[in-house]
Amino acid sequence: MKILFAASEAQPLVKTGGLADVVGALPRALAALGHDVKVLLPAYPGVLDRLRTRTMHSNLTDLFGGPAKVEAGRTDTGLDVLAIDAPHLYAKQSAHPYGPSASVDWEDNHLRFAALGWVASAIGRGTAGAWVPDIVHAHDWQAGLAPAYLALAEEMRPRTIITVHNLAFQGLFDRKHLAKLRLPESAFAVEGVEFHGQIGFLKAALHYADHITTVSPTYAREIQTPEFGAGLDGLLRHRSGQLDGILNGIDRDEWNPERDRYLPAMYGAHSLAKKAHNKAVLQEALGLAVEPRAPLFCVISRLSHQKGLDLLLTALPALRAAGAQLAVLGSGDAELTVGFSAAAKAAPTRVAFRSGWDESLSHRFQGGSDFIVVPSRFEPCGLTQLCGLRYGTVPVVARVGGLADTVIDANEAALADGVATGFQFAPQSTDALQNALLRAVAVYARSDAWLQMQGRAMSRNFGWERSALRYVALYEGLLARR
Ligand code: ADP
Ligand code: GLC
């Protein structure tokens, strides 16, 4: 099959979160199964320079206000990319793909990402280049108009899929842009792109795509309820027959403790003494007391309301009283930044906070910590707990979304049977989190139970192979019904 991914991020070219990890890895897993997959992505500054074997794929004379080229190329990791070179839309100097800073959006984002959908639809219809996909697979709101443009064109068209990585980001824009976005007046309807008086890019995809997926079975159920549905639960219930939850994997080359070049010492399940060395180096680098027996909890996260880290701040005194240390790497909300900075300042040998984005440090956190905490209010899949499992960095997670689907809670039965891989808590409250953190500290103190749990965690296989097969089955099913 020929499959076109349309997305706004892909590792290793541009990343603000797990979307990039998925778009950077799943196409390669599909290619390994014999499929021809290309990832369509805006050529933000620097993207073209990082592609090898560049060739011209197609030209567009007018892409929402200027000419554009689509260039084909390949990343060092072996990802086949089609980059939309449209300087009038994407040549903005910023380290962030969506705005001048992480918290501010560019004013023309409706055009910048409608263009992504438009080019995907042109490639899908065979009007932009000779390579024509059987499947157009769009990701999140930024690519949400691709299924809409294709459905509205009413020609022979590829089958379309939208994957929801996060329902909280919907891409809502003023209806006055309708004509500029090349959407007919008739599409501005409940059975169309309209969402509470605005144009909704994600809403459009949920209406027009042939199939909807999200990134875990539990989140697929949750988003059909008012509590997690962000106003779209009605539509999702209506489409529940075409909605699946397929778990994400992790890139097992990028996240492999036995070959991780960022780590002071590479290690595996049978050489955990080297993980202890990584812990000491990390404690030292962060200014924490170098205590081998103090349980070290870490966080690697966007600092946003979704991630529930305010609960962790509140639970911190209890965690410290139990003799544990905490290391946080994250960027985002000012309030959480202030909170974690203050906690680190008050007890620099027990709590460390590194603000910002740091790929290398994220690996060293996984390689050197004992636990990773993910107390999210909602979590479509979550990837840091999966990396944590692979690195023997035991997850402590809220029982929601993909966190519920990937971590086996250390309740008495699971401990007795030796199947526990982490700690879950519910409901989403400080008390429940605190309780899970203290349970974790208690197991850590029992070295036989702890080592068994760590080994069990490391033996779990969260590579992409199984999920890639599920996507293939889904694509084949859609093509068979054409
Ligand atoms: P989300 O996509 O909601 O942010 P995920 O857990 O799916 O959450 O993915 C987050 C990804 O971003 C992981 O690969 C994680 O390691 C990475 N990450 C998050 N914060 C940082 C940071 N401050 N520095 C480096 N990597 C980070
Ligand atoms: C989103 C979600 C996260 C998921 C990622 C990749 O950013 O918040 O849970 O793992 O997408 O699908």
Side-chain angles (χ1 to χ4, degrees):
M1 274 178 288
K2 294 211 272 296
I3 303 148
L4 179 69
F5 271 45
S8 57
E9 301 183 19
Q11 180 78 328
L13 298 171
V14 49
K15 169 166 169 177
T16 71
L19 169 67
D21 292 294
V22 174
V23 176
L26 174 57
R28 289 187 288 129
L30 293 167
L33 295 171
H35 302 287
D36 181 4
V37 194
K38 297 187 195 301
V39 176
L40 181 71
L41 183 92
Y44 311 109
V47 164
L48 291 174
D49 300 335
R50 275 177 286 150
L51 294 179
R52 290 190 280 135
T53 57
R54 265 162 62 188
T55 55
M56 183 62 72
H57 182 268
S58 50
N59 274 299
L60 289 95
T61 46
D62 176 23
L63 182 64
F64 297 99
K69 288 181 291 197
V70 179
E71 293 199 39
R74 180 171 267 218
T75 64
D76 291 334
T77 56
L79 189 71
D80 282 321
V81 171
L82 296 175
I84 308 170
D85 185 13
H88 63 291
L89 298 171
Y90 306 126
K92 300 186 196 281
Q93 284 314 322
S94 165
H96 306 274
Y98 310 121
S101 72
S103 54
V104 181
D105 290 337
W106 296 115
E107 273 178 18
D108 59 348
N109 272 353
H110 57 296
L111 294 176
R112 298 173 77 232
F113 295 106
L116 175 63
W118 184 266
V119 177
S121 79
I123 294 173
R125 281 178 286 137
T127 60
W131 185 86
V132 183
D134 306 298
I135 298 281
V136 171
H137 188 160
H139 295 264
D140 272 356
W141 74 263
Q142 292 89 346
L145 289 190
Y149 288 136
L150 281 164
L152 290 163
E154 285 179 7
E155 296 163 24
M156 262 302 280
R157 62 170 179 86
R159 299 289 92 186
T160 57
I161 293 181
I162 177 75
T163 292
V164 179
H165 295 266
N166 195 330
L167 201 62
F169 301 114
Q170 300 192 351
L172 296 175
F173 299 101
D174 197 302
R175 64 168 298 172
K176 71 177 184 212
H177 299 306
L178 200 64
K180 247 197 187 145
L181 297 183
R182 304 178 183 170
L183 290 165
E185 196 63 42
S186 60
F188 195 73
V190 175
E191 308 259 304
V193 305
E194 189 259 349
F195 187 66
H196 294 287
Q198 291 184 286
I199 303 167
F201 278 34
L202 184 62
K203 154 70 200 298
L206 296 179
H207 174 74
Y208 287 107
D210 294 314
H211 204 91
I212 302 167
T213 70
T214 184
V215 287
S216 71
T218 295
Y219 193 59
R221 283 192 300 277
E222 287 170 344
I223 57 178
Q224 297 179 55
T225 66
E227 189 189 349
F228 292 96
L232 289 163
D233 48 294
L235 172 56
L236 289 162
R237 281 196 300 280
H238 175 67
R239 297 218 55 195
S240 63
Q242 298 104 40
L243 167 61
D244 281 304
I246 303 178
L247 268 185
N248 287 335
I250 51 171
D251 183 332
R252 287 170 61 89
D253 295 329
E254 192 191 342
W255 293 101
N256 178 358
E258 295 184 43
R259 299 226 175 121
D260 190 329
R261 305 211 167 274
Y262 291 118
L263 300 184
M266 302 177 199
Y267 66 96
H270 301 293
S271 49
L272 283 168
K274 293 189 184 153
K275 184 168 169 73
H277 174 71
N278 292 335
K279 177 174 173 177
V281 175
L282 182 63
Q283 285 172 320
E284 170 95 48
L286 296 174
L288 296 169
V290 182
E291 290 172 14
R293 290 301 305 152
L296 174 56
F297 290 74
C298 80
V299 169
I300 305 163
S301 184
R302 289 186 288 118
L303 303 182
S304 74
H305 184 72
Q306 171 190 347
K307 301 294 179 179
L309 293 163
D310 46 321
L311 299 189
L312 182 59
L313 266 179
T314 319
L316 191 51
L319 188 64
R320 279 189 48 203
Q325 299 181 346
L326 175 69
V328 177
L329 167 63
S331 60
D333 284 3
E335 216 172 298
L336 286 166
T337 303
V338 169
F340 282 113
S341 301
K345 210 167 162 203
T349 60
R350 314 306 301 173
V351 181
F353 175 53
R354 292 293 177 273
S355 165
W357 189 271
D358 190 333
E359 201 104 359
S360 156
L361 197 55
S362 73
H363 284 252
R364 286 181 281 135
F365 267 41
Q366 293 279 12
S369 305
D370 300 302
F371 297 96
I372 183 154
V373 193
V374 194
S376 308
R377 293 193 160 79
F378 67 94
E379 196 61 74
C381 179
L383 297 174
T384 60
Q385 87 281 13
L386 298 183
C387 300
L389 289 168
R390 183 122 205 254
Y391 279 62
T393 306
V394 168
V396 180
V397 303
R399 190 179 299 140
V400 291
L403 301 172
D405 292 333
T406 54
V407 173
I408 300 175
D409 179 56
N411 61 32
E412 281 308 312
L415 278 177
D417 287 356
V419 297
T421 60
F423 299 84
Q424 294 191 344
F425 69 92
Q428 232 276 345
S429 68
T430 303
D431 279 354
L433 168 60
Q434 197 166 300
N435 188 276
L437 293 169
L438 297 182
R439 280 198 293 137
V441 172
V443 169
Y444 183 78
R446 291 167 44 201
S447 52
D448 51 336
W450 167 246
L451 283 176
Q452 185 182 50
M453 190 162 173
Q454 226 179 2
R456 182 76 193 166
M458 294 181 83
S459 72
R460 303 311 311 272
N461 180 355
F462 282 106
W464 270 106
E465 300 78 7
R466 207 176 341 164
S467 297
L469 286 172
R470 290 208 49 199
Y471 280 105
V472 169
L474 174 63
Y475 300 151
E476 283 171 347
L478 290 173
L479 291 175
R481 265 179 269 145
R482 179 149 62 172

